[in-house]
Amino acid sequence: MKNTLLGSLYLILASSIWGGMYVVVKVVVAVIPPLELVWMRYMVAILALLLIGLLTKQKWRIEKRYILLIIAIGIIGNTISIVAQETGTMLSTAQMGAIITSSTPAFMVIFARLILKERLTIKKAISVCLATVGVVLIVGIGNMSVSNTLGGVSLVIAALTWALMSVLVKRVPSDYSQIVVTTYATLVALVLLTPFVLPRLSAINFSELTHPTIWGGLLYLGVISTAGGFLLWNRGLQMLNASSGGIYFFFQPVVGTLLGWLLLGERIGIMFWIGSFLILIGVLFVIREDK
């Protein structure tokens, strides 16, 4: 019971941090393009993680049989998912970014069944269907611009890849420090992104990075959202099963929607709320397994 409560707290904190992340990304991405932004936040995050690791005297050795798994986590979660997420947020809105990626728990049900052999119940199947319908309503219904539609598709890709990464994390032995696992996965993403980002850095107006809103946003994304959020999320998942752990992801759109409305003045249409409601119901089904 203690592990369940502590794991729940970790996941709630991580999801709430990421809810605020969408608003920060929406502001910072106006100055720094998505790919470069991901790279910069990882540069900040890797410094923070290494410092934490050194201060806590972590053991950095990883057994050979788990190296490919951690590389996969870095490619799928830290690279593809985050780039798709920030691109989608740039093309759409902070609320849409938060709500569409909140369908992640339902997608985790599928991957948990395929990879971890967790039981797929009728309620979990209904969950996937409801979340899918909710995403379609948000992305494809109403008078949406081409930009919003492309952003929605990008965010769905982010949700799918994050769900896959979250399930793969369960394959890493629980006695491995999440600081070490998160550091290596982030390093993989940094190495992959560097060849694509370096030729593009000259196009950034670095004088704009001195604005407190921009460098403050980078610190939030690097230290709190990436280093802190990843550590909390991965640790929380180790304490709960993949299917039920994903329910806490729904704290993300609640925070993201609230902050988008309060700070960015974003409006919310009826289809957004209908889609959000369906995703919420779908996610709730995930943990209401048949007795």
Side-chain angles (χ1 to χ4, degrees):
M1 181 60 71
K2 182 180 179 181
N3 277 350
T4 300
L5 291 175
L6 192 58
S8 298
L9 178 61
Y10 287 155
L11 295 175
I12 289 171
L13 286 173
S15 296
S16 298
I17 286 170
W18 291 332
M21 173 193 69
Y22 287 96
V23 176
V24 176
V25 167
K26 192 65 181 176
V27 173
V28 178
V29 83
V31 174
I32 307 171
L35 196 64
E36 291 87 330
L37 179 56
V38 174
W39 185 80
M40 287 184 179
R41 68 183 275 193
Y42 282 165
M43 286 291 290
V44 174
I46 205 74
L47 293 174
L49 287 165
L50 286 173
L51 180 61
I52 294 171
L54 292 173
L55 290 175
T56 55
K57 298 181 179 179
Q58 298 293 321
K59 296 180 180 179
W60 296 94
R61 184 178 177 276
I62 298 288
E63 294 179 65
K64 289 183 180 179
R65 56 179 169 165
Y66 296 116
I67 291 176
L68 287 178
L69 177 60
I70 292 175
I71 290 174
I73 291 170
I75 294 172
I76 296 168
N78 298 57
T79 308
I80 299 174
S81 184
I82 299 300
V83 171
Q85 179 189 90
E86 298 197 356
T87 300
T89 304
M90 178 188 69
L91 294 173
S92 56
T93 64
Q95 287 104 331
M96 182 177 286
I99 196 65
I100 291 179
T101 51
S102 73
S103 61
T104 295
F107 296 133
M108 285 172 65
V109 172
I110 298 175
F111 293 123
R113 171 60 181 168
L114 295 174
I115 297 172
L116 304 178
K117 307 303 179 185
E118 291 185 5
R119 190 164 61 98
L120 179 59
T121 64
I122 293 176
K123 288 184 178 180
K124 287 181 180 179
I126 293 174
S127 164
V128 175
C129 293
L130 287 173
T132 301
V133 172
V135 168
V136 170
L137 286 175
I138 294 171
V139 177
I141 303 295
N143 298 319
M144 293 186 65
S145 66
V146 174
S147 176
N148 272 349
T149 300
L150 291 174
V153 172
S154 183
L155 290 165
V156 171
I157 293 172
L160 281 166
T161 49
W162 188 262
L164 177 56
M165 182 278 293
S166 296
V167 172
L168 290 177
V169 166
K170 294 286 292 181
R171 300 290 297 272
V172 179
S174 58
D175 56 344
Y176 274 12
S177 167
Q178 287 306 317
I179 295 174
V180 173
V181 173
T182 304
T183 300
Y184 283 141
T186 304
L187 186 60
V188 168
L190 195 60
V191 170
L192 286 173
L193 292 172
T194 296
F196 298 98
V197 171
L198 287 182
R200 299 158 58 104
L201 287 179
S202 59
I204 296 176
N205 184 355
F206 282 91
S207 63
E208 294 182 314
L209 302 185
T210 59
H211 193 284
T213 301
I214 304 302
W215 63 255
L218 274 174
L219 285 177
Y220 179 91
L221 292 173
V223 178
I224 299 176
S225 179
T226 304
F230 276 42
L231 285 174
L232 289 167
W233 182 256
N234 291 348
R235 183 56 181 158
L237 284 176
Q238 289 286 1
M239 295 182 171
L240 302 171
N241 66 64
S243 296
S244 61
I247 183 65
Y248 299 96
F249 209 81
F250 207 82
F251 279 86
Q252 178 177 284
V254 173
V255 175
T257 299
L258 179 62
L259 293 178
W261 174 64
L262 287 174
L263 302 178
L264 302 180
E266 295 181 352
R267 295 183 179 182
I268 302 172
I270 185 63
M271 285 301 176
F272 183 93
W273 286 113
I274 294 174
S276 302
F277 178 75
L278 289 176
I279 292 175
L280 173 58
I281 297 301
V283 172
L284 289 176
F285 264 112
V286 169
I287 59 170
R288 295 183 63 85
E289 299 186 24
D290 294 328
K291 302 298 183 182

